[in-house]
Amino acid sequence: MAPKRQNSPSRKASVKGKGKVKKNQPPSPKEKPDHPDDIYPIVLTTATQELFECCIDEDVTDQSPYKLLKKDDIIQDIKTRAAVSDFHPVKQFVLDYPEDEILLVFDVDFTYGQSFYLVLTPEAKARIYNVLQPPQPEIIEVLEDDVSKTPEPKPWISLGSELEVDQESVKETREKLCYKFYLKRRPGLPVCFSDRNSTEAECRSVECPSYQDSRFSIKRMQRDCGMQAVPRLQSSTTQTQRAFQRNIFTQYEPRELSKKEKERILSSENLRKFLNSVTPRVLHALQQTHIMNVFTDDFKALGIGAEASDRLVMVSEGLKLQWTFTDEKRAMGNKISSVSWHPTIHGLIAVAFIKKQEEQLDKSTAYINSPAFIVFYGFPDQSNPRLLLECPDDIFAFEFCPSNPNVIVGGCRNGKVVLWDISFHAPHLQGTQPNSKKGSDSDSDTDTFDFDKKENKTPVMRYCAVSSIESSHKSPVTDVQWLPKTFEVTRTGVPVQNNSNISVQVVTCSPDCTVMFWDLRVPKLQNQFLADRKQDVDQKTMMTPYSIPKTFKHLDRTWKPLFRVSLPKSDTSGEYAPLKFSLEHYTCNSNTGRNTDNENDVAEVLPEYSQLRIPSAKTLRTLDDVNTKFYIGTEEGEIVYTDWKLEEDEFERKFSAKPLLCFRTHAWFVNTMQRSPFFKDILLTTGGWNFAIWKEGVMGGPIFVGPSSEQEYSAACWSLSRPAVFFIGRNDGSIEVWNLLLNTSESTHFHEHIASTRITCIKPCIASSKQHYLAVADNLGMLRVFSVPKTLRSPVKNEDLNMQIFFDREHDRLKDYLEWEEQWAKQRKEAGESKKQVEPDKPVTFQVDSEEADLKEYSDYLKLEESILE
Amino acid sequence: MTEFSLLSPIQGQKGVQGIIVANSEGIPIKSTLDNSSTVQYAGLIHQLVMKARSTIRDIDPQNDLTFMRVRSKKNEIMIAPDKDFFLIVIQNPSD
């Protein structure tokens, strides 16, 4: 049916109503009154289109012209817009519409005369909607009453695989046979059913296994087999060398030309040309160097350097303080009486402390006080001593034995002489650390030993032997010295040969006016007790740190001196009170075969002192060339030169000889007497406020007396490396360095206030060629070690020769002076006598004249002295 | 050997301790010292000469090393290099 456009008043109405009619309205109103009744063409304004979402070309297009509108919405629109609504003319139809949704179709071709038409009846809607749907198959509208189509299977196209499928399929060729077995039984009997396992042997199940029938065989025509490609795998390992190879050693030889080659080259023309061309240059250079050395250092060649800088040196380059040793426990309130360097162990120094006792009211209290010690200090530990030696009383002087540095002899305040043996601690002392573990001497006691060490305690060593009280000195022993191992002394003081080649004898002196000689060996008289003692001593006893070494057990408390030397005064009665003494060191000039043998034996083995006996005087050879005279410095400042050999008087009693000379050079105590290490007959003494130099054999007096200083001199020592230098310590703690070649009237260096109190002892030591140390001890218990600078330790050229010349000169001067004095004394005597004879009346004028003459002569002498000294 | 006559004016100089003639590779040809010292001197000085020569030529390619003197505390070593050989003379200085 052809839709016809209706000449509708609605169209007009819509044109009238709304001016804006979207889209192209065909202007030619075709008069088509025919249209089916259920199609109602309608015009929708833009607003309505938007309202119902059926805008042309947006919601509703050519391809999808259908729009279902809800009936309620239309009714609502009619209500709201009343007559203006586009749906007004169809109001009735809409209200009557049975279904909820009305189909609105966009009429593109204007088949019914309007752009839209409304389908009024559901049948028409169904008809139109469904008919018009199929030509547009791409519109897939999911409608509620639409049935989804299931995909239909396509017809199967055979490709020839049916045959194979048929072949493979298993079909029954015949019908299955069925057999029925039954057993007749009477009904009614009870029945028993049970299970039975078919695998059990009891059950009689019959199997029909398959078997290969030999009557007939089937040839296998075709066999199915499967193939799989497998890659061939092979696993193997390899290891690279991790170590980087490098050469450890290479040995090579220099390349050399064969003889033939050499000859060939040598005879070649090339070489000749070369030599010819090169020779002039070389000759030129050779002559140049020969003529003059352009590289000489003129300044160096002058030889000033450090040696001649004595005059140039600044005061600042003096003694440098290296170490200060104090020990709070023992040094408080104590002064150092004596200092000694260990002769062999470098860096070890021993210090003896004595207590300052202002009041000596109660001597017994001295024993209640803490015991005195000799303290060993070692570099570089400044506060922990290495070893302590326990002493019965304050030690005023001590010394190491020169042949065995483990034996130490000391003199006490109470006059006793004490011996120590530190061989047990010797390895410990040599270690750099006080706690270092050295090869143990004691095997079983290492535990206690280690325990002590771990506690960081300084080992304490008790004294081995002490002299008997009756035979000791009565006043403090102020000087102790070992006799050198070259000779020994008998009971009468006669020096004899020392067969044992070790130092066995000690000399002590004390202000009780005696000098005693002691011997370390077992005296002859105790032979009967030797058998017992021998057994005691022969046992090798294990040493514990607290036990006393038995080295000198034979001397303990029974030690008596060999003999005593008393010092009677020469012109008056009374005796000298020696403070210090000085022996001449004797070096054995004649060595017999016996001596050298002994030397070899004894040198390695430390002697057992208890085994040694004092030989009888007759067996030993007397040494006549030993100088038995020695110098003594006394309490009053006198220097006495006497002989220690005991002489016999008419009653064959031994007595000491009168001194050979005595000089009162010093004003007060003589505190140092020391021989020069370079000249064995030159002696330095200090005491009071000056020092003096003596030459042995010169009886006239000291060959040189230093000027008096304002401070008391308390200690002195020669320099060990320079013959002209010596150090003097003063009461105010300063040190003066004297160089006799430079200046004889004053010290060359003056180090003020090195210590705060009186310096009690100065000792030098040479550690190595570059290290010279000076140990300075003071009254407060502090020990300072200084290093001697190069200027003071390296001798100037020919210093010893110059010193010798100096001493000889002084000697000559002294001789001249003495002669002059004699002459002058003689002259005076003569003048006095002649005066007595001639004119006893005019004694005064003559006296005056002679006095004037004296003065003149004296001034002449002074001038002479000055001129010589320059 | 003819070269002795050529070396004699050098050898006759005062203070000469030893003479070594070596080829350009440092292998000694003739020497007045013992073998071990010769070999040592020749090897070491060869390296020194090579270094010095290369130094001079690096600075100025037109230049070349003509003579070298090494002065030590104890003696003086003089080296005269050439294209194919070099001559080493050891001398004690005048004092």
Side-chain angles (χ1 to χ4, degrees), chain A residues 303-494:
Chain A
I304 297 181
E307 298 152 348
S309 63
D310 270 346
R311 297 169 203 276
L312 309 171
V313 73
M314 296 290 138
V315 180
S316 59
E317 192 189 321
L319 301 169
K320 285 190 195 121
L321 179 59
Q322 290 274 95
W323 291 286
T324 314
F325 294 98
T326 42
D327 188 15
E328 282 83 26
K329 281 185 274 182
R330 282 162 272 273
M332 275 308 150
N334 295 346
K335 49 182 177 172
I336 297 179
S337 61
S338 180
V339 168
S340 181
W341 292 90
H342 196 282
T344 48
I345 298 177
H346 156 62
L348 201 62
I349 185 167
V351 176
F353 288 101
I354 57 175
K355 293 181 235 347
K356 283 192 246 192
Q357 280 177 339
E358 275 90 31
E359 312 119 21
Q360 274 207 344
L361 302 170
D362 194 5
K363 271 215 171 148
S364 58
T365 57
Y367 294 106
I368 303 172
N369 285 348
S370 55
F373 288 101
I374 292 184
V375 183
F376 277 68
Y377 289 112
F379 298 164
D381 196 359
Q382 292 195 29
S383 48
N384 283 332
R386 294 263 192 94
L387 179 65
L388 295 176
L389 296 181
E390 204 181 299
C391 330
D393 203 359
D394 291 337
I395 296 281
F396 271 69
F398 70 97
E399 203 174 312
F400 288 90
C401 173
S403 54
N404 179 11
N406 289 332
V407 174
I408 302 163
V409 69
C412 295
R413 183 190 287 271
N414 54 12
K416 292 194 195 165
V417 180
V418 188
L419 277 173
W420 289 273
D421 181 7
I422 57 165
S423 45
F424 179 59
H425 290 286
H428 156 70
L429 284 175
Q430 254 160 0
T432 49
Q433 297 276 341
N435 285 336
S436 68
K437 197 174 172 181
K438 289 282 173 180
S440 51
D441 291 329
S442 60
D443 305 319
S444 64
D445 296 274
T446 29
D447 299 329
T448 50
F449 201 51
D450 282 348
F451 184 59
D452 283 335
K453 278 186 174 163
K454 277 176 194 149
E455 282 183 343
N456 209 1
K457 253 174 59 173
T458 327
V460 180
M461 194 85 191
R462 253 180 83 83
Y463 48 91
C464 279
V466 73
S467 60
S468 66
I469 301 179
E470 314 86 41
S471 36
S472 306
H473 289 281
K474 305 288 179 295
S475 14
V477 177
T478 50
D479 202 4
V480 167
Q481 276 185 26
W482 288 85
L483 277 185
K485 61 186 182 187
T486 47
F487 72 99
E488 60 180 62
V489 174
T490 63
R491 289 191 168 274
T492 54
V494 176

Side-chain angles (χ1 to χ4, degrees), chain A residues 40 51 121 123 136 191 250 270 293 311 351 412 433 502 679 690 781:
Chain A
Y40 189 79
L51 196 64
T121 58
E123 296 86 13
Q136 301 151 19
V191 181
T250 333
N270 224 353
N293 185 6
R311 297 169 203 276
V351 176
C412 295
Q433 297 276 341
I502 49 168
F679 307 103
N690 59 358

Side-chain angles (χ1 to χ4, degrees), chain A residues 270-286, chain B residues 6-7 9-10 19-21 53 65-68 78-89:
Chain A
N270 224 353
L271 185 68
R272 203 166 310 164
K273 250 200 304 184
F274 159 70
L275 287 175
N276 276 329
S277 67
V278 138
T279 306
R281 272 181 262 163
V282 174
L283 281 176
H284 181 68
L286 284 169
Chain B
L6 293 167
L7 286 179
I10 299 176
I19 308 176
I20 302 169
V21 179
R53 180 181 264 154
L65 182 69
T66 52
F67 200 76
M68 241 178 95
M78 279 166 246
I79 307 149
D82 189 66
K83 195 159 60 75
D84 305 321
F85 307 95
F86 57 96
L87 175 74
I88 305 166
V89 181

